[in-house]
Amino acid sequence: MGITKTELFTTQQNELALIAKAFAHPARIAILQYLVKSKSCINGTLVQELGLAQATISQHLRELKEIGLIQGSIEGVSVSYCINPEKWEQVQGLFNGLFDELNNSCDSDSCC
Amino acid sequence: MGITKTELFTTQQNELALIAKAFAHPARIAILQYLVKSKSCINGTLVQELGLAQATISQHLRELKEIGLIQGSIEGVSVSYCINPEKWEQVQGLFNGLFDELNNSCDSDSCC
DNA sequence: TTTAATCATCGTAATATTGCAATATAATTA
DNA sequence: TAATTATATTGCAATATTACGATGATTAAA
C-alpha cells in the first residue's frame, strides 16, 4: 500500500536510508556544498545561487535540519545555517561502514 | 509542479543525488548488504530474507541494476545478482569527495 | 508604529515511490 | 509437450516528494 515497512529492517539500515534520502536531491547536495564552502548561508543567498523559489529552499533546509545535518541560528533578520560537524561525522561513519563491508569481503578481483 | 529541476544543478550533484536515492530505502540497503555478504543472491532468497513480496524485491533489484550498482546473470531458472565493483568504487569516490570537502574546509573546531 | 526585509508555514497541484496481487516470461524437468 | 520453478512486468491503490504562490511571523530601520 505504498508505505515503507521499516519494521522489517534493522535500525542501522533504516538510519542509513534516512540519511541517504537527505542526500537524494541535487538541491540538498548543492545546499550542503554551499554551506561547506561559505561556512554559513541564508535562505535568500541560496535562492540567488540555486534558482529555486524561496519556499522550496526553505523546505529543503528544513529537511536537512530535521535529520540534524545542519543547524541554524538567527542573525538579525536572516538566519545563518551551518553544518553540524558531529552529525556529519556520524554520517561519514555510517557510509564508510557500508563501503568497508564490501572492501573487506572482496579483497581482490576474485569477487563476482 | 513537483518535478525536480535537474537543469539547475551540476552533473556531479545530480549523479550523487541519483546514487543516494538508490540507498534511500532500507530494503535496498539490506539487499546490498546481503549481496556483499553472500557474494550473490537470487530474488527468491531475498523474499525469505527480507519478508517483502517477490514483486517488490524484483522492483528494488531493478532500481539497483538500473543505476549500475549490481549486475545479474542467469543461472538456470534463477538469476544471480552481484555487486558491480567498478560502480561501487565510483560511488565511494563520489561520497568521499563530498565528505572531504567538509573535512578540508573545516580543519579544527573553528568551524561553525 | 508603519514599512521593509527575511525566512517559515500553509495549501495545493504535479509527480514519484512503495507495495502487492495478478499475470507474463523463461528455463528446467517429467 | 505439459507441468513446474523462478523471476519480471503490469496495473492499481496508498503514500511521499517536489515546487511554488500566498500568507504569516519576526526583526530592523524609518
Side-chain angles (χ1 to χ4, degrees):
Chain A
M1 286 99 176
I3 189 165
T4 299
K5 295 189 158 181
T6 52
E7 72 275 11
L8 293 178
F9 309 101
T10 68
T11 311
Q12 192 233 17
Q13 286 163 344
N14 285 315
E15 177 87 7
L16 201 42
L18 270 180
I19 292 168
K21 199 184 278 183
F23 285 110
H25 194 287
R28 291 194 291 270
I29 303 258
I31 289 173
L32 288 171
Q33 288 179 324
Y34 189 76
L35 273 176
V36 162
K37 204 179 60 180
S38 62
K39 305 232 174 182
S40 75
C41 75
I42 50 176
N43 192 320
T45 319
L46 284 168
V47 173
Q48 312 283 311
E49 185 82 8
L50 298 188
L52 286 169
Q54 184 266 325
T56 308
I57 302 280
S58 194
Q59 195 175 304
H60 283 304
L61 284 168
R62 184 170 59 172
E63 281 179 68
L64 291 171
K65 199 163 68 178
E66 263 169 4
I67 68 159
L69 264 173
I70 68 175
Q71 50 203 181
S73 60
I74 296 163
E75 292 202 357
V77 205
S78 55
V79 176
S80 187
Y81 285 102
C82 69
I83 297 280
N84 178 350
E86 285 106 43
K87 185 69 181 184
W88 192 258
E89 211 159 318
Q90 188 205 331
V91 168
Q92 282 191 61
L94 276 169
F95 273 101
N96 285 331
L98 186 64
F99 293 148
D100 287 347
E101 283 185 46
L102 177 72
N103 297 338
N104 290 337
S105 84
C106 185
D107 314 321
S108 64
D109 320 65
S110 63
C111 161
C112 304
Chain B
M1 285 94 183
I3 187 165
T4 300
K5 294 189 159 181
T6 52
E7 72 277 9
L8 293 179
F9 310 101
T10 69
T11 311
Q12 193 233 18
Q13 286 164 343
N14 285 313
E15 177 85 8
L16 201 43
L18 270 180
I19 292 167
K21 198 182 279 183
F23 285 109
H25 195 287
R28 290 194 289 271
I29 304 259
I31 288 173
L32 287 171
Q33 288 179 323
Y34 188 77
L35 272 176
V36 162
K37 207 179 60 181
S38 63
K39 307 233 174 182
S40 75
C41 75
I42 51 176
N43 192 319
T45 318
L46 283 168
V47 174
Q48 312 282 311
E49 185 80 9
L50 298 189
L52 286 169
Q54 183 265 324
T56 308
I57 301 279
S58 193
Q59 195 175 306
H60 283 305
L61 284 168
R62 185 170 57 173
E63 281 179 68
L64 290 172
K65 198 163 66 176
E66 264 169 5
I67 67 157
L69 264 173
I70 67 174
Q71 49 202 180
S73 60
I74 297 163
E75 294 203 358
V77 206
S78 55
V79 175
S80 186
Y81 285 101
C82 69
I83 297 280
N84 177 351
E86 285 106 44
K87 185 70 180 182
W88 193 258
E89 213 158 317
Q90 188 206 332
V91 167
Q92 283 192 60
L94 276 169
F95 274 101
N96 285 331
L98 186 64
F99 293 148
D100 286 348
E101 282 184 48
L102 179 73
N103 296 339
N104 290 337
S105 84
C106 186
D107 313 322
S108 64
D109 319 65
S110 62
C111 160
C112 304

